[in-house]
Amino acid sequence: MPGGLTLPTLCCFLLWVFTIFHKGQGDPASHPGPHYLLPPIHEVIHSHRGATATLPCVLGTTPPSYKVRWSKVEPGELRETLILVTNGLHARGYGPLGGRARMRRGHRLDASLVIAGVRLEDEGRYRCELINGIEDESVALTLSLEGVVFPYQPSRGRYQFNYYEAKQACEEQDGRLATYSQLYQAWTEGLDWCNAGWLLEGSVRYPVLTARAPCGGRGRPGIRSYGPRDRMRDRYDAFCFTSALAGQVFFVPGRLTLSEAHAACRRRGAVVAKVGHLYAAWKFSGLDQCDGGWLADGSVRFPIITPRPRCGGLPDPGVRSFGFPRPQEAAYGTYCYAEN
């Protein structure tokens, strides 16, 4: 060998370099250790509003000393909200969700989280993190609610909301801003809407099934995006999401003004339904009524399960709208909502 370097010497030198390099890189293979959390069988847990949901987190074995920390990953905010911390014997809840959350404790290795009375805002991504001071690890799960997405704009017309106003508008109509995945699911189920709206992550999009010139051009169907937008300055509609109801929606016929509609519902121990109530009743209770009725926001709408002539004029099921008539116009019935 040139320079007197023999083959055995060269091999030993290369082995020494390889070992030093991998120690410097923190090669996991050089620090074998137990992985305490078992991977979940299902990473997506399906539920609905009002139900009790269980997010599974199970240890294969327990370290000598540890804590389990549950948190919720808030979309678009790059932060996590602490829910509950346990050391296997005692648990402490944090924040608004902590009061409805508890440990399942099915057995000594069970660190699963139980959420009672699931709400719309509970949907999202959760993290179960085991902290033992040496090698922390975590599993992530997604709580997905069965629901319906509906586009919403106020009586003033289209493109009136900044992000925060859109968020408030959805909450006022018994909903919350929809996520991108919820909008995508609604698109696959037939939502075709040509007005752009805010989503929970802060993006602005609209779903197109039938591509057409006035609606983004004649490209392929899909979810069209407006790209990054200023949450304070830019104004669009809203895409809202709601889930199953705890009560029921029913129709009161008549030729009522908006104030008379409120009185008619009160006499029946109910309130005038919100837009989200009507969509949820249409989606989950099969409400089919070919009569326009007042809603709490001053709009007049009606739900159709089975399309038919002279009942909205469209070939697909959906909630039809007459817009926002004058509140003094005595021409419609009303949809009421009563808690069970």
Side-chain angles (χ1 to χ4, degrees):
M1 298 287 296
L5 186 61
T6 65
L7 183 60
T9 303
L10 178 61
C11 290
C12 289
F13 174 76
L14 292 176
L15 179 61
W16 176 78
V17 171
F18 179 83
T19 303
I20 293 300
F21 173 79
H22 278 273
K23 284 185 177 180
Q25 293 295 310
D27 182 9
S30 65
H31 301 284
H35 293 278
Y36 295 104
L37 294 179
L38 299 179
I41 298 176
H42 302 290
E43 294 185 358
V44 178
I45 309 302
H46 297 277
S47 188
H48 59 84
R49 180 165 55 181
T52 296
T54 300
L55 303 180
C57 184
V58 178
L59 285 71
T61 184
T62 57
S65 176
Y66 73 95
K67 290 182 179 179
V68 171
R69 177 183 185 270
W70 274 98
S71 59
K72 185 172 187 289
V73 182
E74 301 297 343
E77 298 184 20
L78 301 178
R79 66 181 179 90
E80 295 189 11
T81 299
L82 183 61
I83 300 171
L84 185 145
V85 175
T86 179
N87 61 1
L89 298 175
H90 307 285
R92 179 180 178 184
Y94 296 85
L97 183 53
R100 294 184 289 114
R102 61 177 176 84
M103 304 303 296
R104 183 172 63 180
R105 300 188 189 280
H107 49 81
R108 68 182 185 85
L109 300 176
D110 189 7
S112 302
L113 184 72
V114 178
I115 301 175
V118 170
R119 300 174 183 174
L120 296 177
E121 59 268 24
D122 295 341
E123 177 164 283
R125 196 157 180 81
Y126 290 77
R127 189 185 312 280
C128 174
E129 183 179 13
L130 184 140
I131 304 170
N132 65 4
I134 300 174
E135 189 175 357
D136 300 343
E137 54 190 88
S138 66
V139 295
L141 302 106
T142 298
L143 178 62
S144 177
L145 300 191
E146 183 182 7
V148 58
V149 172
F150 59 95
Y152 188 76
Q153 59 181 229
S155 60
R156 304 187 304 276
R158 69 196 291 257
Y159 295 176
Q160 298 293 318
F161 297 135
N162 66 23
Y163 172 82
Y164 304 100
E165 292 165 345
K167 189 171 183 290
Q168 180 179 350
C170 289
E171 292 168 357
E172 290 174 351
Q173 297 308 316
D174 191 53
R176 69 182 298 222
L177 276 177
T179 64
Y180 172 79
S181 61
Q182 289 167 346
L183 183 66
Y184 183 87
Q185 177 70 27
W187 172 72
T188 66
E189 295 173 355
L191 182 59
D192 182 276
W193 198 256
C194 207
N195 291 344
W198 289 103
L199 297 178
L200 185 62
E201 299 89 346
S203 62
V204 175
R205 305 172 189 262
Y206 62 98
V208 175
L209 278 175
T210 304
R212 49 208 186 270
C215 199
R218 297 188 178 276
R220 297 179 61 184
I223 307 293
R224 307 286 170 82
S225 175
Y226 274 33
R229 285 294 182 263
D230 187 293
R231 296 190 182 195
M232 285 294 298
R233 186 184 67 246
D234 293 326
R235 295 186 173 272
Y236 298 95
D237 292 345
F239 285 106
C240 305
F241 172 85
T242 193
S243 186
L245 295 172
Q248 62 176 336
V249 174
F250 58 92
F251 180 71
V252 176
R255 300 180 65 83
L256 309 172
T257 65
L258 179 57
S259 62
E260 290 170 340
H262 282 282
C265 290
R266 284 196 299 270
R267 286 195 297 271
R268 292 162 173 81
V271 296
V272 175
K274 299 178 179 181
V275 177
H277 291 151
L278 190 64
Y279 270 91
W282 166 76
K283 175 76 172 182
F284 298 106
S285 303
L287 185 61
D288 184 290
Q289 184 79 38
C290 194
D291 298 281
W294 290 105
L295 296 179
D297 67 339
S299 65
V300 171
R301 307 173 193 247
F302 62 98
I304 296 298
I305 296 293
T306 305
R308 47 205 184 271
R310 297 196 297 180
C311 196
L314 296 176
D316 300 315
V319 175
R320 316 286 194 244
S321 175
F322 287 156
F324 293 83
R326 293 183 302 106
Q328 300 80 17
E329 187 174 344
Y332 308 100
T334 185
Y335 290 94
C336 303
Y337 174 73
E339 294 281 354
N340 289 335

